[in-house]
Amino acid sequence: MCDQTFLAITFGPCDSCSENRPLMNLYIKTEPINYCSLCMEIMACQGLASGETLKSLKAESETLRKKLEEERKKLHDVELEKVAEKAEALGELNMKTRRTLKGHGNKVLCMDWCKDKRRIVSSSQDGKVIVWDAFTTNKEHAVTMPTTWVMACAYAPSGCAIACGGLDNKCSVYPLSLDKDENLAAKKKSVAMHTNYLSGCTFTNSDMQILTSSGDGTSALWDVESGQLLQSFHGHSADVLTLDLAPSETGNTFVSGGSDKKANVWDLRSGQNVQSFDTHDSDINCVKYYPSGDAFASASDDSTCRLFDLRADREVSIYSKDSIMFGAASVDFSLSGRLLFAGYNDYTINVWDVLKGTRVAILFGHENRVSSLRVSPDGTAFCSGSWDNTLRNKFLFTMTAYPGQRWANCAPPFGTPNHGQM
Amino acid sequence: SQGKMARDMSDIDILKMELEQLKKEVSTPREPVSKTSKDIMDWCEAASGTDLLITGVPDDKNPYKPEKGGCIIT
């Protein structure tokens, strides 16, 4: 275990357990270790390589982190904002609520668009999962899950099924029947099994595979038909709160964000963590790929959203303001990636110019925190879901040539956290 | 530590995992921001014509017009 061993008995706080005990003063390769006899036995049993201790691992980690930072800094030769000075300025944005989808009796936690660009699935705290036609606002399907806090839901690429889960630690798939009277719950299939809550789920390129993220600190890829675990992804040191699959043209990767303040990029096939970003100061609630697949955005409890460039391997933009003090819960890009829509816990949606880093609009309308936000597949509209306690639980905003009401310059309504400020 | 839940891992296991990860990342290939951010911007500008939330949509092409009346289902 040691090159040289000097044994002496002293009394004092153990380096490992901090208890005041008789200490065995060891020198491992000239580094002094003061462990009590119990901790020394534990250390011996833990199979540590010669000379390895918590201290030396931390030191090595610190050295590598510094090296990583240096390597990244070398390539940080310009700011995105500077490059973006050449970009055309955005015109005035006119956003208007076009539809309100009422029907959830409780907080809306998650939503997803169908590829047909008109259907939406949403899930809520009370266990209800609803499929809507956004054009007509009709409810097409509804199922009550045998669990509360359905934090994740997703539409299958074919449009023929939905997946959802939450506090039940599972992800279940419901085939959608054309027969409105058919009991959806009867055909339910349990696909994913985690050891803690399900925080996110998405189908991959087909209805056959689902990717999940969980409070158990892992993400996982599952075969829908057999329920078999195909690959698991370990690397977060706390709950995984969100994930997003890379656009199919850019290959087999996905990004996840967690309570450990990290965003990790993974290779779907090998299960390897290929890149990691840790510049946020708090939990990352949502991650979304930039449409080209070369970057991704994040929303965090630290009240900022950020853009991470995957090829430069660094954060290249922060979307924040001193006046924004509440956590950001959800983000999504417009079709060209120029706009970033972000929903916050202060009930607002901020719209950011991704390239120039400035805020171009604030949207008011929800009466509680905005929990989820998605742009439709053809980019004509975006939908936001909220914790509003009233029946006005969902708002649909769409861009039109409508010359009238502009939301961006309204003062925050009475009753919202930032009332009276601008 | 393969297969363990994050909260079941000891501090040493977590440190070892992070260390392995850092060793990999230090040798990840990277490109300068001047090149990559220009590519991001170029992609964006090329796609801007199709971004309806920026360009807007004429009323007759807007699937959300006319305004839906009071179809409220509770």
Side-chain angles (χ1 to χ4, degrees):
Chain A
M1 183 171 81
C2 337
D3 283 341
Q4 296 173 295
T5 310
F6 301 91
L7 217 57
I9 306 291
T10 58
F11 192 91
C14 166
D15 276 359
S16 175
C17 66
S18 314
E19 304 271 356
N20 280 325
R21 293 220 168 104
L23 298 176
M24 318 285 273
N25 305 119
L26 273 190
Y27 287 83
I28 297 184
K29 288 203 169 93
T30 74
E31 199 194 319
I33 310 289
N34 298 313
Y35 275 27
C36 65
S37 56
L38 179 62
C39 288
M40 191 150 75
E41 291 222 34
I42 293 174
M43 179 171 78
C45 295
Q46 266 178 350
L48 287 173
S50 170
E52 236 179 40
T53 62
L54 209 63
K55 222 193 284 188
S56 70
L57 283 177
K58 277 190 183 154
E60 201 182 338
S61 195
E62 199 43 51
T63 312
L64 275 179
R65 259 182 234 282
K66 288 212 171 83
K67 180 125 206 288
L68 191 56
E69 198 39 54
E70 267 167 42
E71 292 299 312
R72 283 173 167 165
K73 246 196 178 123
K74 279 183 207 165
L75 299 166
H76 189 201
D77 48 358
V78 74
E79 294 293 335
L80 172 61
E81 277 170 40
K82 190 94 186 99
V83 173
E85 274 170 13
K86 296 204 188 101
E88 247 184 75
L90 283 170
E92 287 265 17
L93 294 183
N94 286 323
M95 303 263 172
K96 197 165 176 13
T97 305
R98 289 288 175 206
R99 299 286 187 273
T100 303
L101 304 179
K102 303 188 193 188
H104 276 295
N106 212 312
K107 305 177 168 78
V108 174
L109 302 177
C110 187
M111 52 138 310
D112 190 20
W113 287 87
C114 177
K115 282 207 158 84
D116 71 1
K117 312 155 213 167
R118 69 184 279 170
R119 285 176 178 77
I120 289 175
V121 61
S122 60
S123 62
S124 76
Q125 183 194 351
D126 62 5
K128 278 248 168 52
V129 178
I130 300 178
V131 174
W132 315 77
D133 178 332
F135 291 175
T136 62
T137 74
N138 289 337
K139 278 200 260 186
E140 297 203 337
H141 303 275
V143 67
T144 305
M145 295 274 287
T147 180
T148 56
W149 288 90
V150 187
M151 291 173 256
C153 64
Y155 229 115
S158 67
C160 299
I162 53 166
C164 49
L167 283 187
D168 57 354
N169 301 355
K170 291 194 257 189
C171 184
S172 306
V173 173
Y174 291 86
L176 294 177
S177 167
L178 288 173
D179 177 1
K180 301 280 163 76
D181 294 329
E182 187 173 355
N183 180 11
L184 277 191
K187 292 247 168 81
K188 166 182 163 178
K189 187 193 270 276
S190 277
V191 173
M193 298 280 288
H194 278 280
T195 51
N196 210 313
Y197 65 88
L198 189 83
S199 56
C201 66
T202 181
F203 285 83
T204 58
N205 297 329
S206 74
D207 287 17
M208 302 286 90
Q209 290 179 0
I210 284 190
L211 192 58
T212 57
S213 61
S214 168
D216 66 15
T218 72
S219 304
L221 183 67
W222 310 82
D223 177 87
V224 172
E225 192 54 47
S226 62
Q228 199 193 344
L229 173 65
L230 298 173
Q231 185 65 261
S232 67
F233 306 89
H234 298 258
H236 280 287
S237 52
D239 304 17
V240 185
L241 300 176
T242 174
L243 56 75
D244 191 34
L245 201 55
S248 40
E249 313 78 48
T250 54
N252 278 310
T253 59
F254 74 95
V255 59
S256 64
S259 295
D260 57 1
K261 314 175 198 174
K262 290 212 181 110
N264 291 336
V265 181
W266 308 85
D267 181 305
L268 268 171
R269 292 215 182 89
S270 67
Q272 293 298 308
N273 176 357
V274 296
Q275 279 173 286
S276 184
F277 303 89
D278 62 356
T279 50
H280 269 295
D281 299 315
S282 187
D283 297 14
I284 297 178
N285 297 313
C286 185
V287 287
K288 273 292 160 54
Y289 270 90
Y290 181 73
S292 73
D294 289 331
F296 68 91
S298 59
S300 165
D301 276 351
D302 68 9
S303 77
T304 71
C305 297
R306 299 182 195 222
L307 187 70
F308 297 90
D309 184 326
L310 289 168
R311 287 153 60 213
D313 189 40
R314 64 175 299 120
E315 173 194 299
V316 290
S317 204
I318 305 186
Y319 308 103
S320 69
K321 269 186 171 327
D322 289 343
S323 55
I324 300 174
M325 294 172 298
F326 286 73
S330 189
V331 279
D332 202 1
F333 287 97
S334 68
L335 216 61
S336 67
R338 183 65 188 265
L339 299 176
L340 184 70
F341 298 94
Y344 293 75
N345 295 343
D346 65 0
Y347 317 171
T348 66
I349 294 168
N350 287 301
V351 187
W352 300 92
D353 180 330
V354 170
L355 300 180
K356 296 189 188 278
T358 53
R359 178 172 62 184
V360 293
I362 319 174
L363 303 173
F364 303 102
H366 276 296
E367 294 162 19
N368 206 317
R369 41 170 94 175
V370 180
S371 55
S372 64
L373 195 157
R374 294 276 184 115
V375 172
S376 71
D378 61 353
T380 51
F382 77 88
C383 181
S384 54
S386 163
W387 280 23
D388 326 83
N389 283 332
T390 66
L391 288 175
R392 275 201 333 162
N393 281 346
K394 291 180 71 180
F395 291 75
L396 206 62
F397 291 94
T398 188
M399 173 61 192
T400 67
Y402 189 76
Q405 188 179 14
R406 291 198 328 242
W407 289 74
N409 299 324
C410 295
F414 182 78
T416 60
N418 291 323
H419 174 66
Q421 301 165 31
M422 193 44 211
Chain B
S1 60
Q2 229 359 61
K4 269 197 200 165
M5 223 167 69
R7 50 184 72 187
D8 287 343
M9 293 165 70
S10 68
D11 285 348
I12 285 214
D13 283 340
I14 289 183
L15 263 183
K16 275 189 175 176
M17 184 171 78
E18 286 179 354
L19 205 53
E20 280 312 304
Q21 186 56 32
L22 284 167
K23 281 180 189 161
K24 271 186 236 154
E25 288 185 37
V26 165
S27 39
T28 299
R30 307 180 174 82
E31 296 178 69
V33 176
S34 51
K35 176 178 189 297
T36 60
S37 56
K38 179 157 191 314
D39 289 345
I40 285 176
M41 184 172 80
D42 289 346
W43 197 97
C44 183
E45 306 226 276
S48 60
T50 62
D51 193 337
L52 298 174
L53 286 168
I54 294 178
T55 62
V57 142
D59 284 0
D60 60 347
K61 294 236 164 64
N62 187 344
Y64 295 100
K65 282 199 129 184
E67 294 282 336
K68 197 70 174 82
C71 181
I72 295 168
I73 300 157
T74 54

